[in-house]
Amino acid sequence: IMFSARKLCATVATGVFRQFVRQGVNVRLGSTYRAAILTEFNKIPTIERVKVQQELFPGQVKVDVKFCSLNYTDVRILEGGENVELPLVPGCEFSGEIVAIDPDNKLDFKVGDRIVALRGMDGGGLASEVILNEFDCFPLGSIPLKDAAILPYGHGTAMLAFSKYCPLDENDTVIVIAGPGGLGLGAIEVASSVYRAHVIGICDTQDSSILIRDEGAFQTICMSEGYPKVYKFLKNALGTRRAKCIYDAVGGEALHLLQDFLDPQNGCLITAYPLFNRETFRNNIPEFNVKPKDRVDRTEIEKLLPIDERIQHVDLYGYQFRDRIFFREIIEETLELYSEDLISAHVSKVFSLEDIEDAVEYIRKKKCTGKVLIDLQEKKRKDDSDESDNEDKRKD
């Protein structure tokens, strides 16, 4: 897939929430917005009223957030698994409508434009309003806001992996180790629908097994069946064939074993796990309990460099500042694929901002078979309804 070149110039987006949280001033209700603010790791963010920033600086837009995707990365931030400064409004991937804009914006956005944003560790999406750099925004056209909040990270990461790190051809074999969120699902759908690869999916639950078959996996097995059964399954499924790519979305340790099924000359080992650490991966080799006599011939694999030197970590967020032009091309192409019905958005469950604790627990317990969304408008609609009811009572 080719990406159109686009000349961009951007400044790094700043965390605008932090200054208002630290000021701790009392403000009128009409000059505030709701935000989930994380002030302590291993705690659930508290819902607070935050003072509205009236003035926009050059290159900034103000967005009325409609939906925010709650990713596993966000949960790891809450747990202190990411090096972020507190206080922080989490939420890396969200959609909404532009309600104010700096008049000198370079991307020709207008008030009323519907956008999706992907911001990495800057977050900001778990709030009814956010101010961000215009270069973090992507126009949606006719894409529904609910679906848009799901697409950029999971599917965009897969597009990055299969276009830059491991270019796929039709009928290539891809093994995807998928977890409970959107990274694995995105990889399965992009590999099968866009590149027409032969995808074998390894999932964590029977429910997700059904879903990833629906998303394009030709064959599936649950990791819960144990490494010996997974290994035997792949051995039988592949025969003498070997995979062009093994794509890990859950943590990487299984790659120590499953590399046996990689094409030693042309294959790629990829992890999209956001918290991948090469040293930890090198030292964390579990007991697989697969008998040597049951393993495939590893002569060619053993001639290669150590696996920790061959594995490639695909980090979409990193391209926001390392190569912003390419980053925008990846996200724009991903959204275009949705418009062409080549990829889809799967929502596992929608929670309100007030129910964020339930949403986090839902992810931690691996109940989700797709993306978890936070509806930032639910409380607002309820407030509007209550106000309307009160007005009716006054009339009576």
Side-chain angles (χ1 to χ4, degrees), residues 4 6 138 327-336:
S4 59
R6 199 170 184 180
F138 299 86
F327 172 75
R328 289 193 63 84
E329 290 171 349
I330 288 287
I331 303 301
E332 288 168 353
E333 182 69 16
T334 300
L335 296 175
E336 183 62 28

Side-chain angles (χ1 to χ4, degrees), residues 58-303:
Q60 288 187 331
V61 297
K62 182 184 291 187
V63 175
D64 180 20
V65 181
K66 307 297 186 183
F67 294 98
C68 180
S69 175
L70 193 66
N71 296 314
Y72 182 69
T73 303
D74 298 307
V75 175
R76 293 293 295 133
I77 288 174
L78 303 186
E79 297 171 342
E82 293 281 2
N83 184 24
V84 298
E85 183 182 353
L86 301 182
L88 174 75
V89 176
C92 307
E93 184 181 29
F94 52 92
S95 62
E97 183 177 308
I98 293 177
V99 293
I101 192 164
D102 173 68
D104 296 325
N105 78 91
K106 297 178 175 61
L107 298 183
D108 297 324
F109 283 119
K110 302 181 296 299
V111 170
D113 282 352
R114 300 157 62 259
I115 62 95
V116 64
L118 187 64
R119 301 197 70 207
M121 298 306 108
D122 284 335
L126 289 178
S128 57
E129 181 177 297
V130 61
I131 291 176
L132 64 158
N133 189 287
E134 62 177 321
F135 287 94
D136 291 331
C137 299
F138 299 86
L140 291 181
S142 61
I143 299 176
L145 287 165
K146 188 175 181 180
D147 289 358
I150 294 172
L151 299 170
Y153 183 46
H155 290 84
T157 297
M159 286 296 298
L160 173 61
F162 299 140
S163 64
K164 184 177 178 68
Y165 289 79
C166 184
L168 294 181
D169 293 320
E170 187 173 352
N171 295 321
D172 279 341
T173 297
V174 178
I175 299 171
V176 177
I177 308 169
L183 274 174
L185 287 176
I188 289 168
E189 194 167 27
V190 168
S192 61
S193 298
V194 179
Y195 290 94
R196 300 188 181 280
H198 180 99
V199 179
I200 298 174
I202 302 174
C203 56
D204 55 353
T205 67
Q206 287 295 339
D207 287 342
S208 57
S209 176
I210 295 171
L211 177 60
I212 66 176
R213 280 198 297 270
D214 291 342
E215 293 298 314
F218 185 74
Q219 294 167 289
T220 64
I221 188 171
C222 289
M223 189 65 81
S224 59
E225 295 193 31
Y227 284 116
K229 287 189 176 180
V230 170
Y231 194 93
K232 183 178 180 180
F233 167 83
L234 290 175
K235 187 177 179 180
N236 292 334
L238 290 170
T240 59
R241 290 185 296 123
R242 290 296 175 260
K244 174 69 174 291
C245 178
I246 303 180
Y247 186 103
D248 164 63
V250 298
E253 65 179 29
L255 294 176
H256 287 286
L257 178 67
L258 302 188
Q259 65 167 322
D260 287 8
F261 299 102
L262 188 73
D263 182 337
Q265 276 75 46
N266 302 306
C268 301
L269 291 169
I270 286 177
T271 181
Y273 182 60
L275 304 181
F276 175 76
N277 180 282
R278 203 168 293 275
E279 182 177 355
T280 301
F281 173 80
R282 181 190 307 120
N283 298 323
N284 186 23
I285 305 176
E287 290 290 333
F288 295 118
N289 298 317
V290 179
K291 296 177 181 179
K293 68 180 183 65
D294 294 330
R295 298 184 73 164
V296 299
D297 183 7
R298 304 186 72 252
T299 304
E300 295 302 317
I301 290 291
E302 290 174 347
K303 294 178 182 178

